[in-house]
Amino acid sequence: MNPVDGIVGPATWGALLGGGGSTGGGGGSDTLSQSQAASMLSGAGITWSSSGNCSDRNSSSCTSFDGIRRTTVNGAITLKHAVGGCALNITGGTETGHASGTYSHGTGYKLDFAMSGCLTDYIHGTFTHSGTRGDGADLWTAPSGNIYANEGSHWDVTFLN
């Protein structure tokens, strides 16, 4: 069996764009620049948008990836591969304006994804409903431990692994 499939996966993207850093795994503190993360996400077919049409981390109307964890980007790419032809559009990243905390947008653990029927169907059909968050968001947990919160207008995803 030939292990070469011609597909550049998250680990390879990380090695190519990260300048020899960690590719995720145990390197949870390994963060990426805006351009590194954007290249990885774009290469996987993931789009992003912002109300301000910008990527400035210091503006809440932007969608920024500056300082995002490599593991978070790898998680988004894994999600994209899992949902196949379903479009994934990121509407929130590391920019200011999100709730703070250890596992927050600002610390690079979270991404917001635009609502779509195929993404919601995938989450509901694949992951375990795990309760309701204090703000009323329905929670779904993947076997990896990643948490998907339905915030009504978007999916708020915490990439722990």
Side-chain angles (χ1 to χ4, degrees):
M1 183 167 143
N2 187 352
V4 177
D5 61 7
I7 298 171
V8 177
T12 303
W13 268 117
L16 290 170
L17 298 173
S22 167
T23 57
S29 65
D30 192 14
T31 58
L32 301 170
S33 68
Q34 173 71 29
S35 62
Q36 288 172 317
S39 292
M40 291 172 69
L41 293 165
S42 178
I46 300 171
T47 61
W48 54 93
S49 58
S50 69
S51 59
N53 198 27
C54 52
S55 62
D56 181 354
R57 183 181 175 127
N58 297 309
S59 174
S60 61
S61 65
C62 297
T63 297
S64 175
F65 305 129
D66 189 34
I68 197 166
R69 296 169 61 246
R70 184 181 304 278
T71 304
T72 299
V73 173
N74 287 343
I77 293 169
T78 299
L79 177 62
K80 174 59 180 160
H81 288 286
V83 299
C86 180
L88 288 185
N89 183 60
I90 298 169
T91 60
T94 60
E95 66 279 351
T96 60
H98 298 280
S100 61
T102 302
Y103 302 106
S104 66
H105 284 273
T107 58
Y109 280 86
K110 287 187 171 196
L111 287 171
D112 291 339
F113 292 91
M115 276 293 176
S116 71
C118 59
L119 178 58
T120 297
D121 289 348
Y122 174 79
I123 292 167
H124 289 177
T126 308
F127 303 141
T128 303
H129 184 259
S130 52
T132 305
R133 200 167 60 186
D135 63 0
D138 230 7
L139 299 174
W140 298 80
T141 303
S144 64
N146 296 337
I147 302 167
Y148 295 73
N150 183 339
E151 293 190 352
S153 63
H154 63 273
W155 283 99
D156 176 77
V157 183
T158 308
F159 291 98
L160 297 171
N161 298 298

